[in-house]
Amino acid sequence: MENIRNFCIIAHIDHGKSTLADRLLEYTNTVSKKDSQAQVLDDMDLERERGITIKSHAIQMDYERNGIKYTLNLIDTPGHVDFSYEVSRSIAACEGALLIVDAAQGIQAQTISNLYLALGSDLTIIPILNKIDLPSAEPEVVKDQIVDLLGCDREEILAASGKTGMGVHEILSAIVDRIPHPKGDPKAPLKALIFDSVFNSFRGIIAYFRIMDGEIRKGDHVKFAAADSEYHADEIGILKLTKTPRDVVKTGDVGYIISGIKEAKEVKVGDTLTHVARPCLENIAGFEEVKPMVFAGIYPVDTDEYEELRGAIEKLQLNDASLVFEPESSAALGFGFRCGFLGMLHMEIIQERLEREFNMTVITTVPNVSYHAYLTNGTDMIVNNPSDFPEPNYMDRIEEPYIRATIITKAEFTGAVMTLCILKRGNIINQSYLTTDRVELIFDMPMAEIVFDFYDKLKSISKGYASFDYHQTGYKESDLVRLDIKLNGEPVDALSALIHRDHSFTFGKKICEKLKELMTRQQFEIIIQAAIGAKIIARETVKALRKDVTAKCYGGDISRKRKLLEKQKEGKKRMRQVGNVEIPQQAFMAILKLDS
Amino acid sequence: MAGLYLHIPFCKQACTYCDFHFSTSMQTREELVTALITEIKLQADYLPSKTLDTIYFGGGTPSLLSVDELERIFDQIQQYFTINKGAEITLEANPDDLTLAYLRKLRHTNVNRLSIGIQSFREQDLKMMNRAHTAKQAERVVPEAADTGFENLSIDLIYGIPDLKMDGWKKNLDKALALPVNHLSCYCLTVEPRTALAWQVEKGISKAVDDDEAANQYEWLIEKTEVAGIPWYEISNFGKPGFESQHNSNYWKGIPYLGIGPSAHSYNGKNRQWNIRNNPLYIKSINDKKIPFEEEFLTEAQRFNETVLTSLRTRNGLSKEAILKVATEDSWKKIKSQAEIKIANGLIIEKENSLQLTVKGLLLADAIASEFFLL
């Protein structure tokens, strides 16, 4: 146990976490240089392409110094705010963290919030200035930021380049010297923290754990405390580049267990793994059930593919327990699912995985957050869907979730960021200068306002420099309305949105304009209306199509024309119909594309 | 009943809108005419009948053929087919080719109907579309053809040209109706993909056709021709009673036709086939005694769709009789019930056992036809 070091890496996207991790693996001969493909740890295609980590990973390295052999367990964590709970559990499995900061870009909001999580768990932080070889690097300025943030000595900050390998030996030494070895009682009952799980189509769920006390042996009868389920440890082992089976994994170490678990939801991140016969007295603190924050309907583009979509979502849920779904139906879109996501990135990822891994084209409806409605009859309900929005006369009040948003930006963009956040109903809580030209702004904001079109806006007004992080703070009463869209008088349920009354007029007008642009002309006039209850607040008209006819239809034209019209008709099958109005697929995405 | 189509794939110059098969290189002209003559022999058994009711020289520009070449082709046709007495024999012709001398010689061939590609009487339109003739030639050609003794004359006009506008169109149409013609074909300018016009529109050199403007011009056309006694009998075709193009009408009735020449299509009631769209490859293959074609056999649904598509374009409309040739009584009932909303919206009128498009409906013929389609 004295020779084990467990650590994670805290870094902002693009600050070089994965490349530096690759170097660590290479210098410890965990992977040979020729076998290494970029970003060894990010094994999902999507992760590699986007340069983001979605799942937590773990890898064990052997490192020898002065004749002593050390076991270094690197636990790689997702970097995005959507996955902050997963990050917190990975941090809880470690004693130390490498804080990687891009020497050119400096500290970002995301890094700070994860750093606070790490400091809160008493982790030893090793600050590393990465990409030191870049011409635009400003090592002294960024060092100032780090010193301010950590209160460490300048000398403690290591300089490195993942690209050239500079500083990697120093990092390995610092891991051994600075990070404390795990402490735990080898004699005590088994107590292991589950920090992630992956799904393997042959083996089922493979759960990753860190042993706090005791040890686990192959064949042990074990239980997951919060899930309250029992299994036999069919296989246990440690995580080298590939899974390496062992008969025993001891106190302080990181390993995996395969026990015939079929679905991800049976293994909860943060849960405690212990023995059935001799359970630990207390479970590991900090366990939470994952709670989806953002909800949207997902429908197959082709209505015949409902069952296939269900199959695909179920399979995704096997390895992503944070995805929740239930069947729902819409008059406009037919049968589909209301899905809950950890955040917008998570939603995008699920949508993309459905398309890539399952070849499903889907329509996603306007995302919304989860509201609490209190009814006049004294009961309350959760509203995850505009269609659940209670009739105003039955509703006493409705509350919406608020977040504390942290934005770090260059000082010159402060004004623009403030304007945006205030427009999004934010209240500024604090403004402080991290350095002379970097400002941290903290806002109290309704979460609904960041669900769409916030992050992109923020990036564009700050020329890409602002970084953003948030956590949910609670619920506050709100003046919400349901905005309905009607086409020739028929409401289109899939286009309804829950929105603050103050924004409803502008929003209604914009959505009508956008729809006018996206609707195809039909043989009759289409009237697009935005309504709150019976009150029409905006209206647009799509003129009737007057001309759709081929000029020539002679010997050679007949079959060509027939094929063309058959193809068009086939394409129309993918359109949805409300009343007699056909709605093209992209119209359902209209709200996501509004520039407000 | 059967028709023969001959494709003459040469033009002096390329009209910007045209997506038919043609070449502006005359190098292979000799060989091509010989190949056409050979193909007539090779295809002699394609049609269910050996008697021809119509012959149509299309293109390309058939008026580029010399009278000698035409005679050689007719000789071969008569070798393998019987040309019915009173058969309609049309030659598409451009005004610049129809000199008095050519017209006089042509008068002595079997050709008894001319379809003249005037398109517009306005110089700027002809230039814009890169037509080979002048406005002057356009005005001169019809009276001269009539004087030569051609009684069956048709001219082509194009509306919807960006700068033509309603006023220009009215003048063009008035000029056309004042001529000794008994048939008109009027086409809306269409931007077909991979044409010079498509490229010009994309680059902003040429304006796109305005649908509303074109629709107004079409409505005027329908009204005006009706008054002039050359009423519409198909979306783009207008004729004095008894002078409707038989050859083209037969396409819409599903009557078999044989197409000779590169890119020509044939239909024998069951299969459709079409020759390769390339002059040298066509010639090479025919010289090897092989017809260079692709074919498709129509499914029941496809035959049904073609019937709907072509019949709805005609003034007779989609009849129960036509449907019963390709489908059942139930299909007819289904069509009638689908048509109800269109009738209510003024797009279709119901006659005894047939459905006919109104003027408003004619402008939406494609959209309406495809709604009846089976997939």
Side-chain angles (χ1 to χ4, degrees):
Chain A
M1 195 161 46
E2 282 69 27
N3 295 340
I4 296 175
R5 300 290 182 274
N6 297 320
F7 67 99
C8 58
I9 301 180
I10 297 168
H12 189 70
I13 289 174
D14 287 340
H15 282 201
K17 178 183 75 168
S18 298
T19 320
L20 203 58
D22 288 353
R23 288 289 160 271
L24 295 176
L25 300 179
E26 204 180 296
Y27 279 57
T28 55
N29 296 318
T30 313
V31 288
S32 64
K33 197 161 185 176
K34 83 173 158 51
D35 291 341
S36 86
Q37 71 189 116
Q39 304 177 25
V40 172
L41 291 174
D42 293 341
D43 51 13
M44 234 185 266
D45 281 348
L46 202 58
E47 293 184 315
R48 285 215 179 92
E49 269 169 42
R50 290 195 165 201
I52 52 170
T53 306
I54 299 166
K55 299 283 287 180
S56 296
H57 302 263
I59 192 159
Q60 193 173 90
M61 295 169 263
D62 294 323
Y63 177 61
E64 194 175 322
R65 203 185 61 174
N66 303 333
I68 304 169
K69 285 182 177 164
Y70 294 93
T71 300
L72 310 183
N73 288 309
L74 163 60
I75 296 172
D76 190 28
T77 60
H80 194 271
V81 57
D82 284 6
F83 308 104
S84 52
Y85 173 68
E86 284 76 359
V87 178
S88 81
R89 296 303 81 204
S90 295
I91 284 171
C94 299
E95 279 77 33
L98 309 183
L99 170 69
I100 299 180
V101 183
D102 184 315
Q105 292 185 41
I107 289 181
Q108 306 289 320
Q110 194 81 71
T111 322
I112 295 182
S113 72
N114 287 342
L115 180 67
Y116 287 157
L117 280 174
L119 290 170
S121 301
D122 282 333
L123 261 55
T124 300
I125 310 293
I126 301 176
I128 298 166
L129 215 50
N130 194 26
K131 304 195 187 179
I132 197 84
D133 55 323
L134 282 185
S136 54
E138 291 184 302
E140 294 314 313
V141 176
V142 180
K143 269 187 189 173
D144 284 344
Q145 294 176 8
I146 295 174
V147 170
D148 277 358
L149 198 64
L150 288 178
C152 62
D153 290 333
R154 279 182 98 78
E155 294 66 48
E156 286 178 46
I157 304 168
L158 304 178
S161 162
K163 214 168 103 198
T164 63
M166 176 198 154
V168 175
H169 283 297
E170 289 75 7
I171 294 171
L172 288 165
S173 277
I175 290 169
V176 168
D177 293 336
R178 297 192 205 170
I179 298 177
H181 64 75
K183 293 168 194 71
D185 183 355
K187 302 266 160 30
L190 172 66
K191 185 200 261 186
L193 169 69
I194 303 295
F195 61 84
D196 205 0
S197 68
V198 295
F199 174 77
N200 177 299
S201 47
F202 300 107
R203 315 288 310 265
I205 295 296
I206 303 166
Y208 298 158
F209 58 76
R210 147 75 199 272
I211 301 187
M212 307 312 236
D213 290 318
E215 60 179 37
I216 184 169
R217 286 181 178 275
K218 187 181 173 186
D220 279 357
H221 190 196
V222 293
K223 73 168 182 183
F224 293 89
D228 197 21
S229 49
E230 296 182 9
Y231 302 92
H232 286 277
D234 298 339
E235 181 181 317
I236 57 163
I238 54 167
L239 296 146
K240 294 281 193 179
L241 189 58
T242 53
K243 290 183 291 292
T244 311
R246 290 279 189 272
D247 288 330
V248 58
V249 180
K250 294 188 171 173
T251 321
D253 213 347
V254 170
Y256 70 89
I257 175 171
I258 298 174
S259 49
I261 305 171
K262 287 190 185 63
E263 292 181 35
K265 57 186 174 197
E266 294 172 64
V267 178
K268 296 173 192 246
V269 170
D271 202 353
T272 305
L273 175 69
T274 188
H275 283 127
V276 174
R278 191 176 160 239
C280 54
L281 295 175
E282 262 182 16
N283 292 335
I284 297 161
F287 171 75
E288 283 173 26
E289 293 279 354
V290 283
K291 221 171 44 215
M293 308 275 244
V294 173
F295 295 82
I298 292 190
Y299 290 82
V301 164
D302 190 336
T303 45
D304 297 343
E305 288 180 351
Y306 172 73
E307 282 305 326
E308 274 173 86
L309 178 61
R310 176 200 291 277
I313 295 179
E314 277 171 354
K315 278 202 186 108
L316 278 183
Q317 203 187 41
L318 290 181
N319 63 22
D320 184 352
S322 51
L323 168 66
V324 300
F325 70 94
E326 56 180 39
E328 74 168 1
S329 69
S330 142
L333 293 172
F335 291 102
F337 302 93
R338 173 108 321 217
C339 298
F341 311 95
L342 297 175
M344 290 303 285
L345 178 72
H346 189 218
M347 177 171 126
E348 265 178 57
I349 289 167
I350 295 295
Q351 216 178 314
E352 232 176 289
R353 291 186 68 188
L354 282 172
E355 292 189 2
R356 276 168 191 240
E357 296 169 34
F358 299 94
N359 213 5
M360 299 287 318
T361 14
V362 295
I363 296 172
T364 309
T365 63
V366 192
N368 56 260
V369 296
S370 189
Y371 298 93
H372 289 171
Y374 296 86
L375 307 182
T376 47
N377 65 8
T379 60
D380 61 273
M381 62 184 284
I382 290 173
V383 177
N384 287 339
N385 190 335
S387 65
D388 296 338
F389 191 72
E391 291 293 325
N393 50 326
Y394 292 113
M395 191 159 63
D396 178 46
R397 65 186 169 17
I398 189 158
E399 294 182 350
E400 64 175 326
Y402 267 68
I403 54 163
R404 189 183 166 93
T406 306
I407 295 165
I408 295 179
T409 182
K410 276 195 167 177
E412 57 182 299
F413 303 122
T414 312
V417 170
M418 286 229 207
T419 311
L420 172 69
C421 291
I422 289 163
L423 194 77
K424 297 285 190 180
R425 298 191 282 136
N427 279 322
I428 185 134
I429 303 291
N430 192 29
Q431 174 181 8
S432 56
Y433 279 78
L434 298 177
T435 62
T436 47
D437 75 333
R438 288 174 69 77
V439 184
E440 183 191 61
L441 299 161
I442 296 177
F443 291 90
D444 186 36
M445 276 174 79
M447 188 176 170
E449 295 292 337
I450 62 153
V451 160
F452 51 88
D453 195 39
F454 177 74
Y455 199 53
D456 289 345
K457 272 265 137 58
L458 180 65
K459 282 271 171 193
S460 80
I461 59 165
S462 65
K463 307 216 160 62
Y465 285 114
S467 64
F468 166 66
D469 186 43
Y470 68 87
H471 63 267
Q472 211 174 346
T473 48
Y475 277 74
K476 285 189 195 173
E477 189 172 343
S478 177
D479 188 7
L480 279 186
V481 293
R482 189 178 79 200
L483 185 85
D484 294 321
I485 299 296
K486 294 177 179 184
L487 296 177
N488 282 354
E490 292 275 341
V492 184
D493 56 0
L495 287 175
S496 292
L498 298 177
I499 190 159
H500 193 268
R501 191 181 300 274
D502 293 350
H503 289 184
S504 58
F505 278 81
T506 348
F507 186 79
K509 191 166 172 285
K510 281 193 171 138
I511 184 106
C512 287
E513 282 166 4
K514 190 76 192 173
L515 281 171
K516 179 179 178 173
E517 198 182 303
L518 293 173
M519 293 294 291
T520 38
R521 286 171 80 181
Q522 286 167 44
Q523 291 163 30
F524 40 82
E525 190 177 80
I526 303 166
I527 295 159
I528 304 167
Q529 291 166 314
I532 297 170
K535 190 176 167 205
I536 305 296
I537 60 164
R539 176 193 161 116
E540 290 286 341
T541 308
V542 180
K543 282 203 302 179
L545 174 71
R546 257 188 88 190
K547 188 169 169 297
D548 179 8
V549 56
T550 314
K552 295 189 178 188
C553 193
Y554 301 119
D557 307 311
I558 296 169
S559 74
R560 188 170 55 102
K561 194 69 215 167
R562 187 203 75 226
K563 283 174 198 163
L564 194 73
L565 293 180
E566 282 171 350
K567 205 169 138 198
Q568 279 172 13
K569 184 169 175 129
E570 193 68 51
K572 272 198 179 177
K573 282 206 319 202
R574 290 163 83 97
M575 284 206 204
R576 300 309 164 89
Q577 201 162 359
V578 166
N580 55 357
V581 182
E582 278 162 346
I583 311 171
Q585 203 183 318
Q586 65 265 32
F588 292 103
M589 319 282 199
I591 299 181
L592 290 170
K593 291 184 193 125
L594 290 183
D595 26 281
S596 43
Chain B
M1 291 278 281
L4 178 67
Y5 174 83
L6 295 111
H7 191 78
I8 311 303
F10 296 110
C11 288
K12 282 186 190 161
Q13 60 191 63
C15 306
T16 58
Y17 53 82
C18 182
D19 72 337
F20 288 107
H21 169 67
F22 66 90
S23 167
T24 48
S25 158
M26 305 282 174
Q27 277 176 8
T28 57
R29 173 178 174 156
E30 273 293 319
E31 293 172 86
L32 197 114
V33 171
T34 309
L36 293 179
I37 287 167
T38 312
E39 197 195 348
I40 292 169
K41 179 180 162 192
L42 295 175
Q43 298 263 40
D45 294 327
Y46 178 82
L47 291 172
S49 141
K50 292 269 180 204
T51 309
L52 300 176
D53 304 282
T54 63
I55 299 174
Y56 197 100
F57 290 87
T61 314
S63 53
L64 287 177
L65 290 179
S66 69
V67 169
D68 282 350
E69 284 166 331
L70 276 170
E71 295 289 14
R72 279 170 61 205
I73 294 170
F74 278 124
D75 285 348
Q76 183 78 339
I77 295 172
Q78 276 158 326
Q79 187 86 35
Y80 293 94
F81 297 92
T82 308
I83 303 178
N84 231 347
K85 194 162 171 283
E88 176 195 272
I89 301 173
T90 307
L91 182 87
E92 282 183 352
N94 276 351
D96 46 315
D97 296 327
L98 294 182
T99 59
L100 266 177
Y102 186 77
L103 282 166
R104 283 180 191 134
K105 278 203 244 168
L106 197 59
R107 189 69 197 94
H108 297 290
T109 65
N110 286 316
V111 172
N112 56 22
R113 183 173 180 270
L114 294 179
S115 169
I116 307 171
I118 285 178
Q119 319 308 357
S120 174
F121 294 101
R122 303 190 333 150
E123 202 66 52
Q124 65 265 51
D125 298 336
L126 299 172
K127 284 232 162 62
M128 179 257 167
M129 298 187 292
N130 197 37
R131 295 287 302 176
H133 65 277
T134 61
K136 217 171 177 179
Q137 284 169 326
E139 306 232 5
R140 173 195 60 83
V141 65
V142 176
E144 284 184 3
D147 286 348
T148 320
F150 282 100
E151 286 168 4
N152 207 344
L153 292 173
S154 172
I155 63 172
D156 285 0
L157 290 179
I158 295 180
Y159 63 93
I161 301 168
D163 287 323
L164 181 61
K165 301 283 184 278
M166 189 55 132
D167 189 49
W169 173 236
K170 283 181 177 175
K171 284 182 184 150
N172 266 350
L173 195 57
D174 286 344
K175 279 190 178 166
L177 293 171
L179 293 170
V181 292
N182 48 32
H183 189 277
L184 281 178
S185 294
C186 300
Y187 304 110
C188 183
L189 183 65
T190 307
V191 184
E192 298 286 354
R194 291 180 297 277
T195 57
L197 182 61
W199 181 84
Q200 288 170 358
V201 168
E202 195 193 313
K203 296 283 169 207
I205 300 165
S206 195
K207 272 178 269 175
V209 178
D210 181 273
D211 275 357
D212 283 317
E213 180 77 37
N216 291 338
Q217 293 178 15
Y218 184 72
E219 284 174 357
W220 175 259
L221 167 66
I222 293 286
E223 218 179 290
K224 194 78 188 166
T225 48
E226 203 76 22
V227 174
I230 305 190
W232 75 278
Y233 65 98
E234 192 260 0
I235 284 174
S236 303
N237 286 285
F238 307 78
K240 288 184 182 161
F243 289 94
E244 299 87 359
S245 162
Q246 293 169 44
H247 184 82
N248 290 338
S249 296
N250 287 350
Y251 288 138
W252 308 319
K253 289 180 191 155
I255 287 166
Y257 56 91
L258 169 63
I260 297 291
S263 85
H265 284 239
S266 302
Y267 175 63
N268 63 8
K270 293 188 290 287
N271 103 324
R272 286 198 185 277
Q273 63 179 54
W274 52 94
N275 286 346
I276 192 165
R277 278 178 75 112
N278 179 301
N279 293 357
L281 292 178
Y282 167 79
I283 292 165
K284 189 175 177 297
S285 179
I286 293 292
N287 288 347
D288 294 340
K289 306 277 178 270
K290 275 203 261 318
I291 303 157
F293 70 96
E294 286 179 72
E295 65 182 331
E296 66 177 353
F297 289 87
L298 299 180
T299 64
E300 267 180 45
Q302 288 166 341
R303 266 159 53 94
F304 175 90
N305 294 349
E306 289 191 353
T307 301
V308 171
L309 172 67
T310 53
S311 327
L312 272 180
R313 295 175 62 92
T314 66
R315 194 154 191 164
N316 290 332
L318 180 59
S319 67
K320 183 178 175 185
E321 190 193 344
I323 284 298
L324 291 184
K325 280 185 195 158
V326 290
T328 60
E329 185 96 26
D330 279 349
S331 303
W332 176 246
K333 280 185 190 143
K334 196 177 153 216
I335 288 173
K336 290 235 295 190
S337 84
Q338 282 173 306
E340 274 167 27
I341 178 97
K342 310 278 167 219
I343 295 167
N345 289 338
L347 299 171
I348 288 180
I349 27 175
E350 190 178 0
K351 293 273 171 72
E352 205 192 336
N353 288 325
S354 80
L355 298 170
Q356 294 164 21
L357 294 182
T358 61
V359 178
K360 210 170 135 197
L362 287 173
L363 282 163
L364 294 169
D366 286 3
I368 295 169
S370 71
E371 283 179 41
F372 293 117
F373 271 22
L374 302 174
L375 288 182

